[in-house]
């Protein structure tokens, strides 16, 4: 699906089906894109959400929310979505794999 492979800016969300329990298959599909600015995980299983957030190749992972950020959190993407991070205490071009995870605790 073309829209799932591009870095779209605007009110766009791609929702795709997956077989029950096929988390690794979902991760493989999510990580095959050449972009990695942000991603979102919606689940009641916080352990699964944290596992997925560690494996996703994205600069920010939102859990049970989307696009709610802390101004002190590092911002930047992986792959073609940027190099390094802006903001946050740990800004350094050498920390390109630093990840920001935003969790909505009300829905967990």
């Amino acid at each position: 699906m073309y829209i799932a492979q591009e870095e779209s800016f605007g009110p766009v969300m791609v929702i795709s089906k997956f077989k029950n329990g096929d988390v690794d298959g979902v991760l493989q599909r999510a990580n095959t894109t050449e972009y990695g600015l942000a991603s979102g995980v919606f689940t009641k299983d916080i352990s699964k959400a944290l596992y997925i957030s560690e494996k996703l190749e994205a600069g920010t992972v939102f859990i049970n929310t989307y696009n709610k950020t802390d101004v002190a959190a590092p911002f930047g993407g992986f792959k073609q979505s940027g190099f390094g991070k802006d903001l946050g205490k740990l800004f350094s071009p050498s920390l390109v794999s630093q990840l920001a995870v935003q969790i909505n605790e009300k829905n967990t």
Side-chain angles (χ1 to χ4, degrees):
M1 182 179 349
Y2 178 78
I3 195 168
Q5 296 293 318
E6 290 297 310
E7 188 168 49
S8 302
F9 292 93
V12 176
M13 180 179 284
V14 176
I15 300 172
S16 56
K17 292 182 179 181
F18 62 96
K19 293 180 181 178
N20 189 25
D22 187 21
V23 173
D24 291 323
V26 170
L27 287 166
Q28 183 178 8
R29 276 196 293 172
N31 290 334
T32 57
T33 179
E34 61 184 280
Y35 301 100
L37 185 58
S39 61
V41 178
F42 290 85
T43 180
K44 292 180 181 180
D45 185 342
I46 193 67
S47 296
K48 187 179 291 185
L50 292 172
Y51 171 81
I52 292 169
S53 71
E54 290 177 5
K55 303 289 183 186
L56 281 170
E57 296 171 2
T60 300
V61 178
F62 297 97
I63 298 175
N64 294 333
T65 188
Y66 201 83
N67 208 22
K68 292 185 178 181
T69 60
D70 183 327
V71 295
F75 178 79
F78 289 0
K79 306 178 197 178
Q80 295 297 316
S81 292
F83 302 99
K85 301 289 182 212
D86 292 331
L87 308 174
K89 293 180 180 179
L90 298 175
F91 172 72
S92 170
S94 65
L95 296 175
V96 294
S97 64
Q98 184 181 6
L99 173 67
V101 178
Q102 307 289 333
I103 302 173
N104 181 351
E105 295 181 44
K106 293 178 185 176
N107 295 333
T108 56

